[in-house]
Amino acid sequence: MRLGRLEEKRLVRLPYIAAAVLSVPVGHLSAQTIGPEAVARGVTIETRPRSDYEALGVRLGGFRLDGALETGLGFSDNLVPQAERKRSGVFVEEAVQFGLNSDWTRHAVGITASQATRQHLQHSELNWNDYTVGFDGRYDIGRASSLGFRYDHIRGHLDVTDFDVEQRGATRPLPFDTDRARVTGTAAINRLSLTGALEYARVRYEEEGRLALNDGIFNRAPANDHDRILGELGLAYSFLPGRAVTLTTRLTDINYRQDARTRENSFTWEVLGGVRYDLTGLWSVRFSAGYRHRNYEGADLPSLSGPAFEGQVVYLPSQLTTVTLSASRTIEESIRADSVSFIRTQLRVSADHEFRRNIILSTEVRGEHREYQQPRETVTDLVAIIGARFLISRNLSLLASYQRFERLHAPRGLREYDQNLFQLRLRIAL
């Protein structure tokens, strides 16, 4: 049977049509297709690029301006845990972030600024306002060597759920300011890499921020003002790509501003050995362990020493789920009048799941254990968080979270308690 002239033309065109279709990039055929960078080795749910939902920012020559605004409502059923009468309430929270960073192939400079505010509808004494302003720069030397600098001014606060604040009988947040300058350097020689850092931090508590004790006495927070100098040197040897052994040493010198507390000035040294290991792309480990020792200027204060560790394990059971385990053991300064510092041990387990391309579910369990020497006391807290992030578009997303806080163990005189916190926020990105 002979075909009509129209059918013959269609058959002749079929090979050309098929070739044209096959030559079209896959990403043009389906907006849901995931590019190779999204499933590359080491990419987690949080770091995975999502081109359809990422804010574009504003290009300004060789710089990029990024910004975001978050606002929403929250509810807590136990605002001041140590108060005689349990109080609950609704609050409004806002947060703003801006960043102007260079987009150069070599060297880098950047400016960042952020601000977060919580305002309670009924209990204004619990309001707080935090902000951070900073700038940084990096000068590249050769292929794998660089010098860097960063400065930050941080306005923060200690919440009423912090044990040191509770122990002082405070019923409102304690604000403080930190000025921090850090110089870093990196050099690489074949498989050997060296890192170094020198940091200066100036911590000042609000001059007017007096903490009212339950017995009517006032205790001024500026007695805890101090300066800290930190020196760090790191060495890493890479025996295979993604696998290295590390050695880190740190020296820390802390000096209090008030003459009455000079006996609490301290010097700390620590040595940590560890490993960075990427196993088949499913597991990645970064862990260091060693020993830390702190001496005080006052002869009546016993030295503080013991094992130290810090690390993280990331497990990717699938391309849709990331599980992270992190742990650390550090020495922190205390604002208590009867204590100098404490040992903090933290453990955190979190899981992120990509339920849909634009719906991220997360859960986290975090534990903290504090050990004080004078007086000898221990405190144990547990926090569980469930959250969801709904990416509506490049510029809009909705965040919801529930947090459960429990004081599992507290010294005599302070009650154990629980707190439930609900939040719903809208994020607008530039």
mmCIF file with all atom_site columns, all heavy atoms in Angstrom, residues 265-290:
data_model
loop_
_atom_site.group_PDB
_atom_site.id
_atom_site.type_symbol
_atom_site.label_atom_id
_atom_site.label_alt_id
_atom_site.label_comp_id
_atom_site.label_asym_id
_atom_site.label_entity_id
_atom_site.label_seq_id
_atom_site.pdbx_PDB_ins_code
_atom_site.Cartn_x
_atom_site.Cartn_y
_atom_site.Cartn_z
_atom_site.occupancy
_atom_site.B_iso_or_equiv
_atom_site.pdbx_formal_charge
_atom_site.auth_seq_id
_atom_site.auth_comp_id
_atom_site.auth_asym_id
_atom_site.auth_atom_id
_atom_site.pdbx_PDB_model_num
ATOM 1   N N   . ASN A 1 265 ? 41.352 35.005 87.635 1.00 0.00 ? 265 ASN A N   1
ATOM 2   C CA  . ASN A 1 265 ? 42.020 34.992 86.333 1.00 0.00 ? 265 ASN A CA  1
ATOM 3   C C   . ASN A 1 265 ? 42.598 33.603 86.092 1.00 0.00 ? 265 ASN A C   1
ATOM 4   O O   . ASN A 1 265 ? 43.101 32.957 87.015 1.00 0.00 ? 265 ASN A O   1
ATOM 5   C CB  . ASN A 1 265 ? 43.141 36.035 86.281 1.00 0.00 ? 265 ASN A CB  1
ATOM 6   C CG  . ASN A 1 265 ? 42.615 37.452 86.413 1.00 0.00 ? 265 ASN A CG  1
ATOM 7   O OD1 . ASN A 1 265 ? 41.421 37.700 86.227 1.00 0.00 ? 265 ASN A OD1 1
ATOM 8   N ND2 . ASN A 1 265 ? 43.502 38.380 86.723 1.00 0.00 ? 265 ASN A ND2 1
ATOM 9   N N   . SER A 1 266 ? 42.558 33.150 84.854 1.00 0.00 ? 266 SER A N   1
ATOM 10  C CA  . SER A 1 266 ? 42.945 31.765 84.582 1.00 0.00 ? 266 SER A CA  1
ATOM 11  C C   . SER A 1 266 ? 43.766 31.652 83.306 1.00 0.00 ? 266 SER A C   1
ATOM 12  O O   . SER A 1 266 ? 43.725 32.522 82.431 1.00 0.00 ? 266 SER A O   1
ATOM 13  C CB  . SER A 1 266 ? 41.695 30.877 84.459 1.00 0.00 ? 266 SER A CB  1
ATOM 14  O OG  . SER A 1 266 ? 40.897 31.282 83.360 1.00 0.00 ? 266 SER A OG  1
ATOM 15  N N   . PHE A 1 267 ? 44.509 30.539 83.239 1.00 0.00 ? 267 PHE A N   1
ATOM 16  C CA  . PHE A 1 267 ? 45.262 30.172 82.042 1.00 0.00 ? 267 PHE A CA  1
ATOM 17  C C   . PHE A 1 267 ? 44.976 28.710 81.749 1.00 0.00 ? 267 PHE A C   1
ATOM 18  O O   . PHE A 1 267 ? 45.101 27.858 82.629 1.00 0.00 ? 267 PHE A O   1
ATOM 19  C CB  . PHE A 1 267 ? 46.760 30.396 82.235 1.00 0.00 ? 267 PHE A CB  1
ATOM 20  C CG  . PHE A 1 267 ? 47.573 30.018 81.027 1.00 0.00 ? 267 PHE A CG  1
ATOM 21  C CD1 . PHE A 1 267 ? 47.675 30.877 79.948 1.00 0.00 ? 267 PHE A CD1 1
ATOM 22  C CD2 . PHE A 1 267 ? 48.214 28.785 80.959 1.00 0.00 ? 267 PHE A CD2 1
ATOM 23  C CE1 . PHE A 1 267 ? 48.408 30.532 78.824 1.00 0.00 ? 267 PHE A CE1 1
ATOM 24  C CE2 . PHE A 1 267 ? 48.956 28.432 79.852 1.00 0.00 ? 267 PHE A CE2 1
ATOM 25  C CZ  . PHE A 1 267 ? 49.052 29.310 78.773 1.00 0.00 ? 267 PHE A CZ  1
ATOM 26  N N   . THR A 1 268 ? 44.574 28.423 80.494 1.00 0.00 ? 268 THR A N   1
ATOM 27  C CA  . THR A 1 268 ? 44.158 27.072 80.114 1.00 0.00 ? 268 THR A CA  1
ATOM 28  C C   . THR A 1 268 ? 44.970 26.600 78.915 1.00 0.00 ? 268 THR A C   1
ATOM 29  O O   . THR A 1 268 ? 45.169 27.353 77.961 1.00 0.00 ? 268 THR A O   1
ATOM 30  C CB  . THR A 1 268 ? 42.662 27.043 79.757 1.00 0.00 ? 268 THR A CB  1
ATOM 31  O OG1 . THR A 1 268 ? 41.902 27.618 80.810 1.00 0.00 ? 268 THR A OG1 1
ATOM 32  C CG2 . THR A 1 268 ? 42.191 25.614 79.496 1.00 0.00 ? 268 THR A CG2 1
ATOM 33  N N   . TRP A 1 269 ? 45.426 25.355 78.980 1.00 0.00 ? 269 TRP A N   1
ATOM 34  C CA  . TRP A 1 269 ? 46.045 24.731 77.807 1.00 0.00 ? 269 TRP A CA  1
ATOM 35  C C   . TRP A 1 269 ? 45.315 23.420 77.508 1.00 0.00 ? 269 TRP A C   1
ATOM 36  O O   . TRP A 1 269 ? 44.801 22.762 78.408 1.00 0.00 ? 269 TRP A O   1
ATOM 37  C CB  . TRP A 1 269 ? 47.538 24.469 78.004 1.00 0.00 ? 269 TRP A CB  1
ATOM 38  C CG  . TRP A 1 269 ? 47.881 23.526 79.128 1.00 0.00 ? 269 TRP A CG  1
ATOM 39  C CD1 . TRP A 1 269 ? 48.219 23.850 80.402 1.00 0.00 ? 269 TRP A CD1 1
ATOM 40  C CD2 . TRP A 1 269 ? 47.906 22.092 79.058 1.00 0.00 ? 269 TRP A CD2 1
ATOM 41  N NE1 . TRP A 1 269 ? 48.457 22.736 81.145 1.00 0.00 ? 269 TRP A NE1 1
ATOM 42  C CE2 . TRP A 1 269 ? 48.278 21.621 80.351 1.00 0.00 ? 269 TRP A CE2 1
ATOM 43  C CE3 . TRP A 1 269 ? 47.656 21.155 78.057 1.00 0.00 ? 269 TRP A CE3 1
ATOM 44  C CZ2 . TRP A 1 269 ? 48.396 20.268 80.647 1.00 0.00 ? 269 TRP A CZ2 1
ATOM 45  C CZ3 . TRP A 1 269 ? 47.770 19.806 78.342 1.00 0.00 ? 269 TRP A CZ3 1
ATOM 46  C CH2 . TRP A 1 269 ? 48.146 19.375 79.621 1.00 0.00 ? 269 TRP A CH2 1
ATOM 47  N N   . GLU A 1 270 ? 45.272 23.075 76.242 1.00 0.00 ? 270 GLU A N   1
ATOM 48  C CA  . GLU A 1 270 ? 44.620 21.836 75.829 1.00 0.00 ? 270 GLU A CA  1
ATOM 49  C C   . GLU A 1 270 ? 45.281 21.285 74.568 1.00 0.00 ? 270 GLU A C   1
ATOM 50  O O   . GLU A 1 270 ? 45.773 22.040 73.725 1.00 0.00 ? 270 GLU A O   1
ATOM 51  C CB  . GLU A 1 270 ? 43.127 22.036 75.598 1.00 0.00 ? 270 GLU A CB  1
ATOM 52  C CG  . GLU A 1 270 ? 42.777 23.071 74.551 1.00 0.00 ? 270 GLU A CG  1
ATOM 53  C CD  . GLU A 1 270 ? 41.282 23.286 74.445 1.00 0.00 ? 270 GLU A CD  1
ATOM 54  O OE1 . GLU A 1 270 ? 40.573 22.319 74.075 1.00 0.00 ? 270 GLU A OE1 1
ATOM 55  O OE2 . GLU A 1 270 ? 40.820 24.404 74.737 1.00 0.00 ? 270 GLU A OE2 1
ATOM 56  N N   . VAL A 1 271 ? 45.302 19.970 74.474 1.00 0.00 ? 271 VAL A N   1
ATOM 57  C CA  . VAL A 1 271 ? 45.856 19.275 73.321 1.00 0.00 ? 271 VAL A CA  1
ATOM 58  C C   . VAL A 1 271 ? 44.828 18.234 72.870 1.00 0.00 ? 271 VAL A C   1
ATOM 59  O O   . VAL A 1 271 ? 44.370 17.424 73.690 1.00 0.00 ? 271 VAL A O   1
ATOM 60  C CB  . VAL A 1 271 ? 47.194 18.590 73.640 1.00 0.00 ? 271 VAL A CB  1
ATOM 61  C CG1 . VAL A 1 271 ? 47.725 17.852 72.416 1.00 0.00 ? 271 VAL A CG1 1
ATOM 62  C CG2 . VAL A 1 271 ? 48.214 19.611 74.124 1.00 0.00 ? 271 VAL A CG2 1
ATOM 63  N N   . LEU A 1 272 ? 44.465 18.255 71.582 1.00 0.00 ? 272 LEU A N   1
ATOM 64  C CA  . LEU A 1 272 ? 43.468 17.342 71.049 1.00 0.00 ? 272 LEU A CA  1
ATOM 65  C C   . LEU A 1 272 ? 44.011 16.658 69.790 1.00 0.00 ? 272 LEU A C   1
ATOM 66  O O   . LEU A 1 272 ? 44.561 17.321 68.905 1.00 0.00 ? 272 LEU A O   1
ATOM 67  C CB  . LEU A 1 272 ? 42.176 18.084 70.684 1.00 0.00 ? 272 LEU A CB  1
ATOM 68  C CG  . LEU A 1 272 ? 41.468 18.874 71.790 1.00 0.00 ? 272 LEU A CG  1
ATOM 69  C CD1 . LEU A 1 272 ? 40.340 19.695 71.206 1.00 0.00 ? 272 LEU A CD1 1
ATOM 70  C CD2 . LEU A 1 272 ? 40.957 17.946 72.857 1.00 0.00 ? 272 LEU A CD2 1
ATOM 71  N N   . GLY A 1 273 ? 43.864 15.352 69.722 1.00 0.00 ? 273 GLY A N   1
ATOM 72  C CA  . GLY A 1 273 ? 44.200 14.601 68.522 1.00 0.00 ? 273 GLY A CA  1
ATOM 73  C C   . GLY A 1 273 ? 42.938 13.995 67.941 1.00 0.00 ? 273 GLY A C   1
ATOM 74  O O   . GLY A 1 273 ? 42.037 13.575 68.682 1.00 0.00 ? 273 GLY A O   1
ATOM 75  N N   . GLY A 1 274 ? 42.852 13.947 66.618 1.00 0.00 ? 274 GLY A N   1
ATOM 76  C CA  . GLY A 1 274 ? 41.599 13.462 66.045 1.00 0.00 ? 274 GLY A CA  1
ATOM 77  C C   . GLY A 1 274 ? 41.744 12.989 64.620 1.00 0.00 ? 274 GLY A C   1
ATOM 78  O O   . GLY A 1 274 ? 42.844 12.797 64.097 1.00 0.00 ? 274 GLY A O   1
ATOM 79  N N   . VAL A 1 275 ? 40.585 12.854 63.975 1.00 0.00 ? 275 VAL A N   1
ATOM 80  C CA  . VAL A 1 275 ? 40.516 12.323 62.622 1.00 0.00 ? 275 VAL A CA  1
ATOM 81  C C   . VAL A 1 275 ? 39.358 12.977 61.890 1.00 0.00 ? 275 VAL A C   1
ATOM 82  O O   . VAL A 1 275 ? 38.330 13.323 62.494 1.00 0.00 ? 275 VAL A O   1
ATOM 83  C CB  . VAL A 1 275 ? 40.341 10.783 62.644 1.00 0.00 ? 275 VAL A CB  1
ATOM 84  C CG1 . VAL A 1 275 ? 39.039 10.401 63.338 1.00 0.00 ? 275 VAL A CG1 1
ATOM 85  C CG2 . VAL A 1 275 ? 40.393 10.191 61.247 1.00 0.00 ? 275 VAL A CG2 1
ATOM 86  N N   . ARG A 1 276 ? 39.540 13.180 60.578 1.00 0.00 ? 276 ARG A N   1
ATOM 87  C CA  . ARG A 1 276 ? 38.454 13.567 59.672 1.00 0.00 ? 276 ARG A CA  1
ATOM 88  C C   . ARG A 1 276 ? 38.353 12.458 58.634 1.00 0.00 ? 276 ARG A C   1
ATOM 89  O O   . ARG A 1 276 ? 39.319 12.176 57.913 1.00 0.00 ? 276 ARG A O   1
ATOM 90  C CB  . ARG A 1 276 ? 38.747 14.914 59.000 1.00 0.00 ? 276 ARG A CB  1
ATOM 91  C CG  . ARG A 1 276 ? 38.793 16.079 59.939 1.00 0.00 ? 276 ARG A CG  1
ATOM 92  C CD  . ARG A 1 276 ? 38.644 17.387 59.170 1.00 0.00 ? 276 ARG A CD  1
ATOM 93  N NE  . ARG A 1 276 ? 39.677 17.539 58.150 1.00 0.00 ? 276 ARG A NE  1
ATOM 94  C CZ  . ARG A 1 276 ? 40.788 18.241 58.302 1.00 0.00 ? 276 ARG A CZ  1
ATOM 95  N NH1 . ARG A 1 276 ? 41.026 18.844 59.467 1.00 0.00 ? 276 ARG A NH1 1
ATOM 96  N NH2 . ARG A 1 276 ? 41.666 18.326 57.320 1.00 0.00 ? 276 ARG A NH2 1
ATOM 97  N N   . TYR A 1 277 ? 37.184 11.826 58.568 1.00 0.00 ? 277 TYR A N   1
ATOM 98  C CA  . TYR A 1 277 ? 37.066 10.616 57.752 1.00 0.00 ? 277 TYR A CA  1
ATOM 99  C C   . TYR A 1 277 ? 35.750 10.604 57.001 1.00 0.00 ? 277 TYR A C   1
ATOM 100 O O   . TYR A 1 277 ? 34.680 10.782 57.593 1.00 0.00 ? 277 TYR A O   1
ATOM 101 C CB  . TYR A 1 277 ? 37.158 9.379  58.661 1.00 0.00 ? 277 TYR A CB  1
ATOM 102 C CG  . TYR A 1 277 ? 37.581 8.120  57.946 1.00 0.00 ? 277 TYR A CG  1
ATOM 103 C CD1 . TYR A 1 277 ? 38.923 7.798  57.824 1.00 0.00 ? 277 TYR A CD1 1
ATOM 104 C CD2 . TYR A 1 277 ? 36.650 7.258  57.404 1.00 0.00 ? 277 TYR A CD2 1
ATOM 105 C CE1 . TYR A 1 277 ? 39.332 6.627  57.182 1.00 0.00 ? 277 TYR A CE1 1
ATOM 106 C CE2 . TYR A 1 277 ? 37.031 6.097  56.759 1.00 0.00 ? 277 TYR A CE2 1
ATOM 107 C CZ  . TYR A 1 277 ? 38.380 5.790  56.656 1.00 0.00 ? 277 TYR A CZ  1
ATOM 108 O OH  . TYR A 1 277 ? 38.771 4.641  56.007 1.00 0.00 ? 277 TYR A OH  1
ATOM 109 N N   . ASP A 1 278 ? 35.842 10.404 55.695 1.00 0.00 ? 278 ASP A N   1
ATOM 110 C CA  . ASP A 1 278 ? 34.663 10.277 54.837 1.00 0.00 ? 278 ASP A CA  1
ATOM 111 C C   . ASP A 1 278 ? 34.592 8.832  54.360 1.00 0.00 ? 278 ASP A C   1
ATOM 112 O O   . ASP A 1 278 ? 35.449 8.383  53.608 1.00 0.00 ? 278 ASP A O   1
ATOM 113 C CB  . ASP A 1 278 ? 34.767 11.232 53.649 1.00 0.00 ? 278 ASP A CB  1
ATOM 114 C CG  . ASP A 1 278 ? 33.531 11.201 52.758 1.00 0.00 ? 278 ASP A CG  1
ATOM 115 O OD1 . ASP A 1 278 ? 32.624 10.399 53.037 1.00 0.00 ? 278 ASP A OD1 1
ATOM 116 O OD2 . ASP A 1 278 ? 33.486 11.960 51.779 1.00 0.00 ? 278 ASP A OD2 1
ATOM 117 N N   . LEU A 1 279 ? 33.575 8.112  54.825 1.00 0.00 ? 279 LEU A N   1
ATOM 118 C CA  . LEU A 1 279 ? 33.465 6.682  54.541 1.00 0.00 ? 279 LEU A CA  1
ATOM 119 C C   . LEU A 1 279 ? 32.358 6.445  53.520 1.00 0.00 ? 279 LEU A C   1
ATOM 120 O O   . LEU A 1 279 ? 31.172 6.571  53.838 1.00 0.00 ? 279 LEU A O   1
ATOM 121 C CB  . LEU A 1 279 ? 33.178 5.898  55.826 1.00 0.00 ? 279 LEU A CB  1
ATOM 122 C CG  . LEU A 1 279 ? 33.044 4.382  55.693 1.00 0.00 ? 279 LEU A CG  1
ATOM 123 C CD1 . LEU A 1 279 ? 34.342 3.776  55.187 1.00 0.00 ? 279 LEU A CD1 1
ATOM 124 C CD2 . LEU A 1 279 ? 32.659 3.765  57.033 1.00 0.00 ? 279 LEU A CD2 1
ATOM 125 N N   . THR A 1 280 ? 32.726 6.131  52.293 1.00 0.00 ? 280 THR A N   1
ATOM 126 C CA  . THR A 1 280 ? 31.830 5.762  51.193 1.00 0.00 ? 280 THR A CA  1
ATOM 127 C C   . THR A 1 280 ? 30.751 6.800  50.900 1.00 0.00 ? 280 THR A C   1
ATOM 128 O O   . THR A 1 280 ? 29.787 6.508  50.211 1.00 0.00 ? 280 THR A O   1
ATOM 129 C CB  . THR A 1 280 ? 31.139 4.409  51.475 1.00 0.00 ? 280 THR A CB  1
ATOM 130 O OG1 . THR A 1 280 ? 30.210 4.573  52.567 1.00 0.00 ? 280 THR A OG1 1
ATOM 131 C CG2 . THR A 1 280 ? 32.143 3.340  51.822 1.00 0.00 ? 280 THR A CG2 1
ATOM 132 N N   . GLY A 1 281 ? 30.903 8.008  51.415 1.00 0.00 ? 281 GLY A N   1
ATOM 133 C CA  . GLY A 1 281 ? 29.904 9.029  51.156 1.00 0.00 ? 281 GLY A CA  1
ATOM 134 C C   . GLY A 1 281 ? 28.665 8.925  52.014 1.00 0.00 ? 281 GLY A C   1
ATOM 135 O O   . GLY A 1 281 ? 27.846 9.838  52.037 1.00 0.00 ? 281 GLY A O   1
ATOM 136 N N   . LEU A 1 282 ? 28.493 7.818  52.743 1.00 0.00 ? 282 LEU A N   1
ATOM 137 C CA  . LEU A 1 282 ? 27.339 7.645  53.625 1.00 0.00 ? 282 LEU A CA  1
ATOM 138 C C   . LEU A 1 282 ? 27.629 8.134  55.037 1.00 0.00 ? 282 LEU A C   1
ATOM 139 O O   . LEU A 1 282 ? 26.730 8.592  55.739 1.00 0.00 ? 282 LEU A O   1
ATOM 140 C CB  . LEU A 1 282 ? 26.919 6.170  53.664 1.00 0.00 ? 282 LEU A CB  1
ATOM 141 C CG  . LEU A 1 282 ? 26.482 5.551  52.330 1.00 0.00 ? 282 LEU A CG  1
ATOM 142 C CD1 . LEU A 1 282 ? 26.098 4.094  52.537 1.00 0.00 ? 282 LEU A CD1 1
ATOM 143 C CD2 . LEU A 1 282 ? 25.325 6.332  51.727 1.00 0.00 ? 282 LEU A CD2 1
ATOM 144 N N   . TRP A 1 283 ? 28.881 8.015  55.474 1.00 0.00 ? 283 TRP A N   1
ATOM 145 C CA  . TRP A 1 283 ? 29.290 8.433  56.804 1.00 0.00 ? 283 TRP A CA  1
ATOM 146 C C   . TRP A 1 283 ? 30.422 9.454  56.668 1.00 0.00 ? 283 TRP A C   1
ATOM 147 O O   . TRP A 1 283 ? 31.299 9.300  55.836 1.00 0.00 ? 283 TRP A O   1
ATOM 148 C CB  . TRP A 1 283 ? 29.795 7.258  57.635 1.00 0.00 ? 283 TRP A CB  1
ATOM 149 C CG  . TRP A 1 283 ? 28.772 6.230  57.975 1.00 0.00 ? 283 TRP A CG  1
ATOM 150 C CD1 . TRP A 1 283 ? 28.384 5.165  57.201 1.00 0.00 ? 283 TRP A CD1 1
ATOM 151 C CD2 . TRP A 1 283 ? 28.029 6.138  59.183 1.00 0.00 ? 283 TRP A CD2 1
ATOM 152 N NE1 . TRP A 1 283 ? 27.435 4.430  57.850 1.00 0.00 ? 283 TRP A NE1 1
ATOM 153 C CE2 . TRP A 1 283 ? 27.195 4.995  59.087 1.00 0.00 ? 283 TRP A CE2 1
ATOM 154 C CE3 . TRP A 1 283 ? 27.971 6.900  60.347 1.00 0.00 ? 283 TRP A CE3 1
ATOM 155 C CZ2 . TRP A 1 283 ? 26.328 4.608  60.092 1.00 0.00 ? 283 TRP A CZ2 1
ATOM 156 C CZ3 . TRP A 1 283 ? 27.112 6.509  61.359 1.00 0.00 ? 283 TRP A CZ3 1
ATOM 157 C CH2 . TRP A 1 283 ? 26.302 5.387  61.218 1.00 0.00 ? 283 TRP A CH2 1
ATOM 158 N N   . SER A 1 284 ? 30.397 10.456 57.493 1.00 0.00 ? 284 SER A N   1
ATOM 159 C CA  . SER A 1 284 ? 31.530 11.368 57.620 1.00 0.00 ? 284 SER A CA  1
ATOM 160 C C   . SER A 1 284 ? 31.735 11.654 59.106 1.00 0.00 ? 284 SER A C   1
ATOM 161 O O   . SER A 1 284 ? 30.773 11.897 59.836 1.00 0.00 ? 284 SER A O   1
ATOM 162 C CB  . SER A 1 284 ? 31.308 12.666 56.844 1.00 0.00 ? 284 SER A CB  1
ATOM 163 O OG  . SER A 1 284 ? 30.208 13.385 57.364 1.00 0.00 ? 284 SER A OG  1
ATOM 164 N N   . VAL A 1 285 ? 32.991 11.598 59.534 1.00 0.00 ? 285 VAL A N   1
ATOM 165 C CA  . VAL A 1 285 ? 33.322 11.727 60.952 1.00 0.00 ? 285 VAL A CA  1
ATOM 166 C C   . VAL A 1 285 ? 34.357 12.834 61.116 1.00 0.00 ? 285 VAL A C   1
ATOM 167 O O   . VAL A 1 285 ? 35.335 12.907 60.364 1.00 0.00 ? 285 VAL A O   1
ATOM 168 C CB  . VAL A 1 285 ? 33.887 10.408 61.525 1.00 0.00 ? 285 VAL A CB  1
ATOM 169 C CG1 . VAL A 1 285 ? 34.261 10.574 62.988 1.00 0.00 ? 285 VAL A CG1 1
ATOM 170 C CG2 . VAL A 1 285 ? 32.878 9.285  61.351 1.00 0.00 ? 285 VAL A CG2 1
ATOM 171 N N   . ARG A 1 286 ? 34.115 13.691 62.092 1.00 0.00 ? 286 ARG A N   1
ATOM 172 C CA  . ARG A 1 286 ? 35.094 14.694 62.507 1.00 0.00 ? 286 ARG A CA  1
ATOM 173 C C   . ARG A 1 286 ? 35.132 14.679 64.042 1.00 0.00 ? 286 ARG A C   1
ATOM 174 O O   . ARG A 1 286 ? 34.205 15.121 64.702 1.00 0.00 ? 286 ARG A O   1
ATOM 175 C CB  . ARG A 1 286 ? 34.698 16.084 62.003 1.00 0.00 ? 286 ARG A CB  1
ATOM 176 C CG  . ARG A 1 286 ? 35.618 17.199 62.459 1.00 0.00 ? 286 ARG A CG  1
ATOM 177 C CD  . ARG A 1 286 ? 35.117 18.547 61.972 1.00 0.00 ? 286 ARG A CD  1
ATOM 178 N NE  . ARG A 1 286 ? 33.741 18.799 62.374 1.00 0.00 ? 286 ARG A NE  1
ATOM 179 C CZ  . ARG A 1 286 ? 33.390 19.262 63.573 1.00 0.00 ? 286 ARG A CZ  1
ATOM 180 N NH1 . ARG A 1 286 ? 34.298 19.472 64.509 1.00 0.00 ? 286 ARG A NH1 1
ATOM 181 N NH2 . ARG A 1 286 ? 32.111 19.485 63.841 1.00 0.00 ? 286 ARG A NH2 1
ATOM 182 N N   . PHE A 1 287 ? 36.216 14.120 64.580 1.00 0.00 ? 287 PHE A N   1
ATOM 183 C CA  . PHE A 1 287 ? 36.261 13.929 66.030 1.00 0.00 ? 287 PHE A CA  1
ATOM 184 C C   . PHE A 1 287 ? 37.670 14.169 66.546 1.00 0.00 ? 287 PHE A C   1
ATOM 185 O O   . PHE A 1 287 ? 38.648 13.745 65.923 1.00 0.00 ? 287 PHE A O   1
ATOM 186 C CB  . PHE A 1 287 ? 35.815 12.516 66.404 1.00 0.00 ? 287 PHE A CB  1
ATOM 187 C CG  . PHE A 1 287 ? 35.752 12.275 67.893 1.00 0.00 ? 287 PHE A CG  1
ATOM 188 C CD1 . PHE A 1 287 ? 34.688 12.752 68.633 1.00 0.00 ? 287 PHE A CD1 1
ATOM 189 C CD2 . PHE A 1 287 ? 36.771 11.595 68.544 1.00 0.00 ? 287 PHE A CD2 1
ATOM 190 C CE1 . PHE A 1 287 ? 34.623 12.557 69.998 1.00 0.00 ? 287 PHE A CE1 1
ATOM 191 C CE2 . PHE A 1 287 ? 36.714 11.378 69.907 1.00 0.00 ? 287 PHE A CE2 1
ATOM 192 C CZ  . PHE A 1 287 ? 35.641 11.862 70.640 1.00 0.00 ? 287 PHE A CZ  1
ATOM 193 N N   . SER A 1 288 ? 37.774 14.873 67.693 1.00 0.00 ? 288 SER A N   1
ATOM 194 C CA  . SER A 1 288 ? 39.050 15.124 68.363 1.00 0.00 ? 288 SER A CA  1
ATOM 195 C C   . SER A 1 288 ? 38.862 14.906 69.853 1.00 0.00 ? 288 SER A C   1
ATOM 196 O O   . SER A 1 288 ? 37.818 15.267 70.420 1.00 0.00 ? 288 SER A O   1
ATOM 197 C CB  . SER A 1 288 ? 39.548 16.550 68.105 1.00 0.00 ? 288 SER A CB  1
ATOM 198 O OG  . SER A 1 288 ? 39.772 16.772 66.730 1.00 0.00 ? 288 SER A OG  1
ATOM 199 N N   . ALA A 1 289 ? 39.859 14.328 70.484 1.00 0.00 ? 289 ALA A N   1
ATOM 200 C CA  . ALA A 1 289 ? 39.817 14.070 71.926 1.00 0.00 ? 289 ALA A CA  1
ATOM 201 C C   . ALA A 1 289 ? 41.209 14.300 72.500 1.00 0.00 ? 289 ALA A C   1
ATOM 202 O O   . ALA A 1 289 ? 42.222 14.105 71.819 1.00 0.00 ? 289 ALA A O   1
ATOM 203 C CB  . ALA A 1 289 ? 39.340 12.650 72.219 1.00 0.00 ? 289 ALA A CB  1
ATOM 204 N N   . GLY A 1 290 ? 41.246 14.721 73.767 1.00 0.00 ? 290 GLY A N   1
ATOM 205 C CA  . GLY A 1 290 ? 42.536 14.984 74.401 1.00 0.00 ? 290 GLY A CA  1
ATOM 206 C C   . GLY A 1 290 ? 42.371 15.372 75.854 1.00 0.00 ? 290 GLY A C   1
ATOM 207 O O   . GLY A 1 290 ? 41.480 14.859 76.549 1.00 0.00 ? 290 GLY A O   1
#
